[in-house]
Every structure is written in C-alpha cells, then in structure tokens.
Amino acid sequence: MSARVTVIGTGYLGATHAACMAEIGHEVLGLDVDPDKIAALRSGRVPFYEPGLEELLAKHVATGRLRFTTSYEEVAEFGEVHFSCVGTPQSPGGNAADLRYVDAVIEHLAPLLAGRNALVVGKSTVPVGTAERLATMLPEDAELAWNPEFLREGFAVEDTLRPDRLVFGVRSAAAEARLRAVYAPVISNGTPVVVTDFPTAELVKTSANAFLATKISFINAMAEVCEAAGADVTLLAEALSHDTRIGGRFLRAGVGFGGGCLPKDIRAFMARAGELGVDQALTFLREVDHINMRRRSRVVDLAREAAGGSFLGRRIAVLGAAFKPDSDDIRDSPALNVAAQIQLQGGNVSVYDPKAMDNARKAFPTLAYATSAEDALCRADVVLHLTEWQEFRDLDPAVLREMVARPYVIDGRNALDGGRWRAAGWTYRALGRP
C-alpha cells in the first residue's frame, strides 16, 4: 500500500532513502535546507557519486512520485511517516557526536505535527539515549521510532532495497505496524525484522560499526606482526577465513579505514560510554583507532624508504583519492591523508581517482591532480596504490614500466597481483607481506 513519506536531509543517506522509497511504491517528498542541493535533485541530479542512484532518482522525479522542497510546512502537510536522515558529524574539538542537525529536525517539525497522527523515524547514527530525549519533544499524537541505516557506500541502493536486516526501535504496536507497512515490499522479499526498544536500536548501528572497525584493525595489527616476523598477512587472512567463527570479510590488511562513518562513530561510541560511566568497556576502541591511523604513517614510511630516505625532489604517484572504491567520498580518506603527508615532507605528489577528483581538489587544493592513472605515473619515482578501484587492478604493469622513472609500487590495499607486477620488472611492496 502506498504511503506519503518524507525524507528530511538529502545527503548520502537521505537521497538514497528517498529514491528507494519511491522505487518501492511510495509518494515521497524530500527536504533539505540547502537550496542548491534541492535544485540539483529536482533536476534529477545527485550531488555525489553512488552507483545506480542517479538513474533511480531521475526515474522517479520524472514520474512525479519523488519531489523535493525546502519547506518544513510542506513536509508536515504532506507526510504520514517522516524519516530523519541528517548527519551526525564528530563534534569540533571532541570525540562526541554533534547532534545539532538531528535536534534541528525535531525542533522544526514537532510544532507542525499537532493533530496529524504522524510517525517520525530516525535513521541517523546517534549516541544511545538520543531517541528517548527526542521523543519528549514531539506532540502527544505524534510518535517516534528508530530505524538505523546499514548502508555501504558503493552498494547503497542494493542495501536499501534488499537489506540484510531491518531494525525497528519502537514503543508501540502501532508504530511497528506502520513501519512494517512502509517496508512491506522489502519485508516480502524475506528481509528479517528485529523489533527492539530505543536504546537497543541505537546500539545496533554503533556496535556494528565498532565490530567492523575492530576486525579491520585486527588484521592490520597482524600485518605489523607479519612484517616483523617475515610472514605473509594475506595467507594468514586466507587461513583465518576458513574458520566459520571468523569468516573472511574485512580481513584484508592495508592502509586502513576512513570515510564519514567508522572513524567518527567509534570515537562517539567511546565518548558516550564515558558519559554512561562504562568507559572501560570500550577502551579497546582507542587502540583500534590508533592501529588504523598507524597504517597511514606506515605507508608514508615505506614510500620515503623507497624514495631513498627523503621525498625532496621525488615524484610520487598516488592512485586513489576516495576512501573506498565506487564512491567519490573523500571524508577521512587514507589516500589523501597519505598524499598530504608526503607533500608536506617535500614530495612532488600527483593524485588520480576515477570519481573523486573534484571533491579532492576542493579539500586539498595544493596537491597536484592527474587526468589519468598513466598521467599520474609519468616519471614517478614511487607509485602508491591506495584505493582499490577495478581500473587500477586492470592496469598493465608492463606498459606502465616504460612510463615511470623507477618501477617501484607500494600496494596499500593488498589488491594488486604482486607476481604480475614483479614479472613486469617492478619492485612490489605491500603491507604485512615479505
């Protein structure tokens, strides 16, 4: 059954959720306070790169099922179910989550909902206890639910239309029923639904991110041990992956994680645990964070060693700018962090990424940017592979050998075929491998 759904906040999460809600049959109105973003969305353009999203959005803008506005009054008048999808960045000068945008949604919307029997659904990643507080700000006939998102950049459309689970944090059977109705086409495909209270729903997302970050940092810690012992972390990970208690996902050692979620979410989780008086329960996440940041420094050290002990007068090619492939998101990007560190130490750095160049230029305007991978590698003394795009894995090392000043590649993602590069005459180095 079609519902009138609104999505407040049209960033990465909101724009994806709005387009997918239209795809499963709802009438959708998206809201954002940025008029330029709204103008782009109204024309069917997404202001970031996510595979398949722009086509889906343009399709439903054209049919009229998906519209956009800057008016909270229009949202309140139109919607039956309101999804809050705004960001929760790290607070300036601290580790806690900045909830000003989450609070602003309720502050603007709540006075307009009296008498409308509306359901407000939070999807943002928030510290446990946030939903309890927000619920008190709504009028008596409006109800709050919490439905955390689990999107992977590069797979966001698939993860919304065919998620591996749905979590409903609710206080009433009526709220659960309304969420089940909204997600009926998704649930009918076999997606499991977990119904919880508010704090459990909030903790599902933060604990999932903490677990993933821990698993990534664990294999990176093993890479440090492997380098010291002369072992191969890729073979170690392969052996571990056959243990069904462990599995192989997120066991690829490399330069570490970045992006707009994992780094700031684990720090906010630690900060909230401290506020709750259980900070010792999450002290291990501090080391998870430290291990992750050490990986970036290790790549810089390897590059400096490859450059002869100093970056002065050396050309360094950096393949990758986005924090992960199939995205143009450069937030807390390990690749750009490494590139900037090398430039500060005197290196002549040239960066190339298939999708993230415009964003990288805005954030790091002093770096040099190439028009292609081949352009970046031209006369390079050291090549760094730092974002595992398929385009980079498909490069022919024999052809590239003729372009560089020195055939030396550091595979910061353990994703290239080391044997193939060595056979083409390259010195191949990777993290945690001989």
Side-chain angles (χ1 to χ4, degrees), residues 227 254-255 295-296 298-307 311 316-319 338 342 381-387 406-416 421 426-432:
E227 287 185 5
V255 72
R295 293 292 77 201
R296 304 177 187 192
R298 178 59 177 155
V299 171
V300 174
D301 291 344
L302 286 174
R304 188 189 307 106
E305 176 187 315
F311 290 119
I316 312 297
V318 173
L319 297 180
V338 168
I342 292 173
D381 295 292
V382 183
V383 178
L384 305 182
H385 173 239
L386 301 182
T387 309
R406 295 174 63 246
Y408 200 114
V409 61
I410 298 173
D411 185 2
R413 292 295 182 182
N414 271 315
L416 302 177
W421 283 74
W426 288 77
T427 299
Y428 174 87
R429 290 291 303 275
L431 297 175

Side-chain angles (χ1 to χ4, degrees), residues 89-164:
Q90 189 171 328
S91 294
N95 286 333
D98 184 347
L99 297 177
R100 75 180 78 174
Y101 306 113
V102 171
D103 289 351
V105 169
I106 304 301
E107 289 166 359
H108 283 88
L109 189 59
L112 305 172
L113 295 182
R116 297 185 185 276
N117 189 33
L119 179 66
V120 179
V121 185
K123 290 195 70 67
S124 308
T125 304
V126 295
V128 61
T130 302
E132 185 82 24
R133 177 176 60 82
L134 296 178
T136 66
M137 300 167 63
L138 293 176
E140 287 187 5
D141 62 339
E143 190 170 4
L144 184 74
W146 215 262
N147 169 221
E149 59 87 9
F150 303 101
L151 304 189
R152 299 166 298 162
E153 294 197 32
F155 303 91
V157 172
E158 176 71 15
D159 287 347
T160 305
L161 296 177
R162 283 167 285 276
D164 51 19

Side-chain angles (χ1 to χ4, degrees), residues 11-14 37 48-50 85-90 101 125 149 151-154 205 256-265 267 292-293 296 321-324 327-337 356 359-360 363-364 387 413:
Y12 177 80
L13 166 60
K37 187 184 294 184
F48 54 88
Y49 176 70
E50 175 63 31
C85 297
V86 295
T88 53
Q90 189 171 328
Y101 306 113
T125 304
E149 59 87 9
L151 304 189
R152 299 166 298 162
E153 294 197 32
K205 179 56 188 288
F257 57 80
C261 292
L262 259 59
K264 61 97 174 174
D265 285 350
R267 293 164 193 159
N292 188 56
M293 299 307 292
R296 304 177 187 192
F323 87 93
K324 64 176 291 186
S327 173
D328 65 353
D329 193 343
I330 62 160
R331 289 176 294 176
D332 203 7
S333 164
L336 288 175
N337 181 276
N359 289 341
F364 293 84
T387 309
R413 292 295 182 182

Side-chain angles (χ1 to χ4, degrees), residues 215 218-219 222 233-249 251:
K215 194 170 184 180
F218 170 81
I219 199 62
M222 293 305 100
V233 74
T234 61
L235 297 178
L236 173 65
E238 181 183 355
L240 291 174
S241 72
H242 292 292
D243 188 326
T244 56
R245 298 168 300 174
I246 298 172
R249 300 193 68 185
L251 278 185

Side-chain angles (χ1 to χ4, degrees), residues 12-83:
Y12 177 80
L13 166 60
T16 304
H17 194 67
C20 289
M21 287 294 100
E23 176 69 6
I24 64 176
H26 300 303
E27 299 296 320
V28 183
L29 180 63
L31 177 144
D32 204 286
V33 297
D34 184 343
D36 292 335
K37 187 184 294 184
I38 290 299
L41 293 168
R42 283 173 173 167
S43 68
R45 292 183 292 109
V46 178
F48 54 88
Y49 176 70
E50 175 63 31
L53 178 57
E54 187 155 278
E55 295 84 352
L56 194 64
L57 182 135
K59 168 186 171 183
H60 291 297
V61 167
T63 64
R65 186 178 291 171
L66 175 57
R67 298 183 295 111
F68 295 94
T69 183
T70 58
S71 169
Y72 270 94
E73 289 77 10
E74 186 179 355
V75 160
E77 180 70 28
F78 172 85
E80 301 166 313
V81 179
H82 305 279
F83 286 95

Side-chain angles (χ1 to χ4, degrees), residues 339-399:
Q341 286 189 57
I342 292 173
Q343 185 193 47
L344 286 173
Q345 295 179 35
N348 181 2
V349 181
S350 183
V351 178
Y352 172 71
D353 188 281
K355 293 294 181 181
M357 297 291 275
D358 289 343
N359 289 341
R361 285 191 184 96
K362 292 173 186 175
F364 293 84
T366 61
L367 292 172
Y369 295 93
T371 57
S372 66
E374 291 78 7
D375 183 30
L377 267 65
C378 185
R379 300 189 304 281
D381 295 292
V382 183
V383 178
L384 305 182
H385 173 239
L386 301 182
T387 309
E388 62 233 72
W389 286 94
Q390 184 64 44
E391 176 179 328
F392 299 152
R393 295 199 295 272
D394 291 341
L395 291 170
D396 186 340
V399 173

